[in-house]
Amino acid sequence: MSRFVVKFGGSNLKNAEDLFKILEVLRMYNKNLIIVISAAYNVTNQLIDAVAKIDRLNVDEFLTSLYERYRSFLGKDDEQLKERVFEIKNVLLGAKLLGEVPVQVQDRIVSHGERCSSLMLTKFLQDHGFNCEEALPELFGLVTDGRFGNATVELETSRKNAISFFERGKNYVVPGFYGLHEGRVTILGRGGSDYTATCLAYCLDAERVDLYKDVSGFMTCDPKHVNNVKPVRSLSYDEAAELSYFGAKILHHATVEPLRKKGIPLYIFNINNFKSIDEPDTIITANGSMTKDVVKSISFTDDIAVIQFKGSNVGRVPGLLGQIASTFGAENVNIKSVITAQTSINVLISRQDLEKSQKIVSRIKIAEVEQIDFKTNISLIAAVGNGILQRHGIAARIFTAVSKEKINVLMISAGASEVTVYFIVSTADRDKALRAIHEEFFGGEGK
């Protein structure tokens, strides 16, 4: 019997009623299932807050409150679940004694919600006649590269481990969001349970991956910022990856990469509008299709800042860009993109890395760099669709729509990806630009 990987997010775990929704969905599959589960709704935020306030955290009170949250799902006391919740007591007490939380300890704490969820869900399913057992990453060996806070799964090593652990004919419940490197927990970044699911699909040659969320798949734009958005029924791996990279929060940015390697399809469902396991809201596959107007969706991110290295000849200096990139890489700062010109090298980074980057830049000594500027309060907007660079006039339509709204475009990039054109505007102009492009390609009035 073939395997499916099925993942439920934290938004699917708000109260006890949600467990019955999950049970109803799982009973529709006539497959062996790997069930990946996130922390209960808002628990990860509570754990992050506990880390931030470790010096004044009442550990027993905090863990008792966390246990009560998970106990409420089962509707009864459970000693094994209580023991699981309190597993991090000594970790928290040790960090409180130190007065700080080392990054490797932080990952252990922040991932704890998933370990609690997996045991709680396993017990619930078993109590209701669904045959399954729990499988923790530390037991089956989901191995990462060891980068704390945003690790990458080492697929081949993890594959060998998973094949020898998971038995055919059994259903397993797996906590998402983290793996291990040399015995230490490393989280996969926010939304990392999606990535756990697709990595396991790769490791176990799953037939497909089904992600259950509380939104109806990908849309033509974020409905919080544009009215009358429309569903996007199908995307290619490239389109989904670019939308996620440039701000669409529905998927973790690395989710599709393991699937691409083996051509495994990804189905996205809204559990609140669920009809059938064969009626997803969005399907993501290797075979991209081109729509009439090419653009399938518009995403954006405000988590962007630009560092401009200016000088009359910086664009022609051999090795200068490499020197900048290696300096940032050594400090674990990710460069999102680079746009160069004769007189300026523009490095795009996460706004969260801005303060760290300013300190790095203060130490860089390059004779050809005459001035360094920082651009903040900006937003990056990406229009995504197969054929966006091949179809004549698409870029012109995008920028004409923006221009009609008298919006100043600060930077433009096309060609880095075959399915994306992106540009930067002031954050104050972001929503107006989104509405203008959406009106041009999808119709309907914006907010």
Side-chain angles (χ1 to χ4, degrees):
M1 184 181 289
S2 61
R3 272 197 180 111
F4 276 27
V5 177
V6 182
K7 178 258 175 179
F8 298 93
S11 60
N12 303 146
L13 278 180
K14 292 181 178 177
N15 52 53
E17 291 179 6
D18 288 339
L19 291 180
F20 287 95
K21 286 184 185 178
I22 291 172
L23 178 63
E24 182 182 354
V25 168
L26 294 176
R27 282 176 170 165
M28 293 189 179
Y29 289 90
N30 184 27
K31 307 281 182 181
N32 295 146
L33 300 178
I34 306 294
I35 305 157
V36 177
I37 190 74
S38 297
Y41 182 73
N42 205 40
V43 163
T44 300
N45 288 335
Q46 290 176 328
L47 289 162
I48 291 171
D49 190 54
V51 168
K53 300 174 180 176
I54 193 67
D55 58 332
R56 55 187 186 276
L57 181 70
N58 184 320
V59 174
D60 281 316
E61 186 178 289
F62 173 72
L63 292 176
T64 298
S65 173
L66 186 60
Y67 170 64
E68 286 301 321
R69 178 76 196 283
Y70 277 103
R71 176 195 172 282
S72 69
F73 283 93
L74 296 180
K76 61 181 181 180
D77 278 309
D78 186 284
E79 283 304 313
Q80 189 180 0
L81 180 58
K82 186 173 185 179
E83 184 179 327
R84 174 68 60 83
V85 171
F86 275 79
E87 273 182 3
I88 61 167
K89 179 176 179 177
N90 289 337
V91 176
L92 290 169
L93 287 172
K96 185 175 181 178
L97 189 63
L98 281 173
E100 62 179 0
V101 185
V103 64
Q104 63 268 31
V105 176
Q106 181 171 319
D107 278 21
R108 174 75 174 85
I109 295 169
V110 171
S111 63
H112 192 56
E114 276 71 17
R115 284 184 291 277
C116 296
S117 287
S118 64
L119 181 59
M120 178 267 294
L121 180 61
T122 301
K123 285 180 169 290
F124 173 85
L125 294 175
Q126 290 172 344
D127 287 348
H128 289 81
F130 187 89
N131 186 27
C132 63
E133 60 186 70
E134 186 186 30
L136 298 173
E138 46 265 55
L139 296 179
F140 67 78
L142 189 69
V143 179
T144 75
D145 61 0
R147 185 182 303 157
F148 294 108
N150 191 26
T152 298
V153 173
E154 294 185 352
L155 288 173
E156 289 309 315
T157 304
S158 299
R159 179 175 175 273
K160 292 174 185 175
N161 294 340
I163 288 172
S164 63
F165 180 92
F166 290 99
E167 298 178 31
R168 291 244 172 225
K170 286 187 175 182
N171 301 314
Y172 294 89
V173 177
V174 177
F177 187 47
Y178 75 95
L180 287 96
H181 178 80
E182 298 179 350
R184 291 181 180 273
V185 169
T186 51
I187 62 173
L188 307 177
R190 291 307 295 261
S193 294
D194 291 346
Y195 184 36
T196 300
T198 58
C199 287
L200 283 171
Y202 173 92
C203 292
L204 298 170
D205 294 313
E207 184 177 331
R208 94 181 188 213
V209 177
D210 291 356
L211 304 183
Y212 286 86
K213 298 179 178 284
D214 66 344
V215 294
S216 299
F218 279 90
M219 310 297 285
T220 49
C221 198
D222 187 334
K224 294 178 182 176
H225 296 267
V226 174
N227 278 336
N228 301 316
V229 298
K230 299 171 175 60
V232 179
R233 298 301 182 194
S234 68
L235 291 168
S236 68
Y237 293 139
D238 283 347
E239 289 171 326
E242 294 294 339
L243 286 168
S244 300
Y245 184 73
F246 288 118
K249 295 178 177 62
I250 192 165
L251 288 183
H252 180 279
H253 63 88
T255 297
V256 302
E257 290 313 306
L259 304 181
R260 188 199 305 272
K261 295 176 186 295
K262 291 192 174 180
I264 300 170
L266 175 67
Y267 284 28
I268 302 175
F269 297 85
N270 183 342
I271 198 169
N272 298 314
N273 297 329
F274 177 76
K275 296 175 184 175
S276 157
I277 63 171
D278 296 316
E279 297 181 61
D281 294 290
T282 301
I283 300 176
I284 300 168
T285 62
N287 302 316
S289 60
M290 192 183 296
T291 58
K292 178 186 173 208
D293 282 337
V294 179
V295 175
K296 285 189 179 178
S297 185
I298 310 152
S299 63
F300 75 91
T301 180
D302 296 333
D303 181 25
I304 195 79
V306 175
I307 308 172
Q308 293 183 309
F309 296 86
K310 295 181 177 180
S312 58
N313 202 35
V314 291
R316 297 183 59 190
V317 179
L320 194 153
L321 180 56
Q323 183 180 345
I324 293 171
S326 61
T327 302
F328 278 79
E331 297 289 339
N332 203 30
V333 172
N334 180 45
I335 294 177
K336 290 178 173 286
S337 185
V338 177
I339 301 173
T340 63
Q342 168 73 5
T343 59
S344 180
I345 294 175
N346 301 275
V347 176
L348 280 63
I349 59 167
S350 167
R351 188 179 295 182
Q352 297 174 35
D353 289 328
L354 180 60
E355 185 177 344
K356 189 175 184 180
S357 298
Q358 288 170 329
K359 292 177 181 177
I360 295 169
V361 166
S362 69
R363 301 195 301 267
I364 293 178
K365 305 298 180 186
I366 302 173
E368 292 82 3
V369 175
E370 299 161 9
Q371 182 179 335
I372 300 175
D373 291 338
F374 294 87
K375 285 187 177 293
T376 57
N377 299 318
I378 55 176
S379 299
L380 185 151
I381 296 174
V384 175
N386 279 319
I388 203 164
L389 298 183
Q390 288 76 36
R391 180 73 65 84
H392 178 73
I394 298 299
R397 288 175 63 188
I398 292 171
F399 294 112
T400 298
V402 172
S403 176
K404 284 179 180 178
E405 296 297 321
K406 296 181 170 53
I407 296 169
N408 184 34
V409 175
L410 305 175
M411 289 184 188
I412 299 170
S413 179
S417 163
E418 292 185 359
V419 301
T420 308
V421 170
Y422 70 83
F423 60 97
I424 294 172
V425 298
S426 166
T427 299
D429 290 328
R430 176 243 293 144
D431 283 7
K432 200 186 335 183
L434 290 172
R435 292 194 293 266
I437 302 168
H438 194 272
E439 174 70 26
E440 171 65 25
F441 287 93
F442 304 106
E445 293 182 1
K447 288 182 181 176

